[in-house]
């Protein structure tokens, strides 16, 4: 990642703070897209569910009032009208909110959690700054309220990730950790697909 053109500029996204809300611990060898999906599920799932529920309720109300079309379905041998707009727009809203809610919050300049992500908080192009960042990892962990572990099969086989977990547990005795396995998105999106096919 250090050779990517955007790596050095990502350091400019970081800022000095007294406290961190979350330290994101991950293995650089694991696929980026899986880590992104885990993060959007962690941060955006709740607002996505709320937004899609609100939209679905509005669509259901408009359908019941006759402002939106419905289709005839056979249930127990009887033909009954069924609205499809709440299903279509509800799912669409869920996916949009799930993948872009953080961007909306950023554009509205709303308060967001202060996170530590090594790629942006530790300089990846300047070796001197990079060394200083690595030397102060324990300080970052000590200033973090929580740690989010993006767990994979390789996680406990890497020295840095084991060091991060051990340091957090030592600096925050009794504090629970948040662990999100990288296979979580597969389960969530498979369940959504099954629900969509059955609806």
């Amino acid at each position: 990642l250090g050779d990517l053109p955007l790596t050095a500029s990502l350091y400019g996204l970081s800022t000095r703070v007294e406290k961190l809300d979350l330290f994101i611990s991950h293995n650089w060898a694991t696929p980026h897209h899986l880590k992104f999906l885990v993060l959007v599920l962690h941060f955006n799932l709740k607002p996505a569910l709320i937004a899609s529920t609100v939209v679905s309720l509005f669509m259901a109300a408009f359908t019941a009032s006759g402002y939106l079309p419905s289709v005839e379905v056979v249930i127990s041998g009887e033909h009954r009208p069924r609205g499809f707009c709440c299903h279509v727009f509800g799912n669409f809203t869920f996916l949009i909110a799930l993948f872009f809610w953080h961007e909306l919050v950023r554009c509205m300049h709303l308060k967001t959690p202060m996170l530590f992500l090594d790629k942006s908080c530790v300089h990846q192009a300047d070796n001197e700054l990079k060394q200083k960042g690595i030397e102060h990892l324990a300080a970052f962990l000590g200033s973090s309220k929580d740690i989010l572990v993006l767990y994979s099969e390789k996680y406990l086989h890497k020295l840095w990730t084991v060091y991060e977990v051990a340091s957090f547990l030592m600096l925050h005795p009794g504090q629970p950790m948040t662990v999100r396995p990288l296979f979580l998105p597969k389960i969530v999106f498979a369940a959504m697909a099954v629900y969509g096919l059955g609806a």
Side-chain angles (χ1 to χ4, degrees), residues 24-94:
I24 299 177
S25 178
H26 68 104
N27 188 328
W28 282 42
T30 51
H32 299 96
H33 70 279
L34 288 179
K35 289 185 282 190
F36 171 76
L37 292 175
V38 170
L39 289 174
V40 296
L41 286 172
H42 179 80
F43 290 106
N44 297 349
L45 180 59
K46 184 177 179 179
L49 288 172
I50 293 174
S52 62
T53 300
V54 170
V55 169
S56 295
L57 289 174
F58 272 107
M59 294 296 103
F62 287 138
T63 301
S65 302
Y67 293 107
L68 292 174
S70 61
V71 294
E72 292 285 334
V73 295
V74 179
I75 301 177
S76 300
E78 297 182 7
H79 291 269
R80 297 181 183 178
R82 181 177 180 180
F84 61 90
C85 291
C86 56
H87 178 71
V88 172
F89 286 99
N91 286 341
F92 179 75
T93 302
F94 176 83

Side-chain angles (χ1 to χ4, degrees), residues 170-182:
M170 184 182 68
L171 295 168
H172 302 273
Q175 173 75 16
M177 299 188 305
T178 303
V179 179
R180 296 286 184 264
L182 292 189

Side-chain angles (χ1 to χ4, degrees), residues 28-160:
W28 282 42
T30 51
H32 299 96
H33 70 279
L34 288 179
K35 289 185 282 190
F36 171 76
L37 292 175
V38 170
L39 289 174
V40 296
L41 286 172
H42 179 80
F43 290 106
N44 297 349
L45 180 59
K46 184 177 179 179
L49 288 172
I50 293 174
S52 62
T53 300
V54 170
V55 169
S56 295
L57 289 174
F58 272 107
M59 294 296 103
F62 287 138
T63 301
S65 302
Y67 293 107
L68 292 174
S70 61
V71 294
E72 292 285 334
V73 295
V74 179
I75 301 177
S76 300
E78 297 182 7
H79 291 269
R80 297 181 183 178
R82 181 177 180 180
F84 61 90
C85 291
C86 56
H87 178 71
V88 172
F89 286 99
N91 286 341
F92 179 75
T93 302
F94 176 83
L95 291 174
I96 292 298
L98 183 64
F99 287 104
F100 298 105
W101 181 261
H102 56 285
E103 294 292 347
L104 176 62
V105 170
R106 183 178 63 85
C107 291
M108 296 176 65
H109 302 288
L110 299 177
K111 184 179 180 181
T112 57
M114 299 304 298
L115 313 175
F116 176 92
L117 180 63
D118 50 10
K119 186 176 181 181
S120 57
C121 296
V122 176
H123 207 299
Q124 302 300 320
D126 187 308
N127 289 331
E128 183 178 351
L129 289 176
K130 183 177 182 179
Q131 184 62 34
K132 288 182 179 180
I134 292 173
E135 291 173 355
H136 290 82
L137 272 180
F140 291 124
L141 286 158
S143 301
S144 301
K145 296 179 183 177
D146 194 5
I147 184 172
L148 173 62
V149 174
L150 305 184
Y151 185 80
S152 66
E153 293 181 356
K154 300 177 182 179
Y155 186 86
L156 295 178
H157 294 278
K158 298 295 182 179
L159 177 62
W160 283 115

Side-chain angles (χ1 to χ4, degrees), residues 161-173:
T161 46
V162 172
Y163 169 78
E164 290 169 356
V165 170
S167 298
F168 183 83
L169 293 175
M170 184 182 68
L171 295 168
H172 302 273

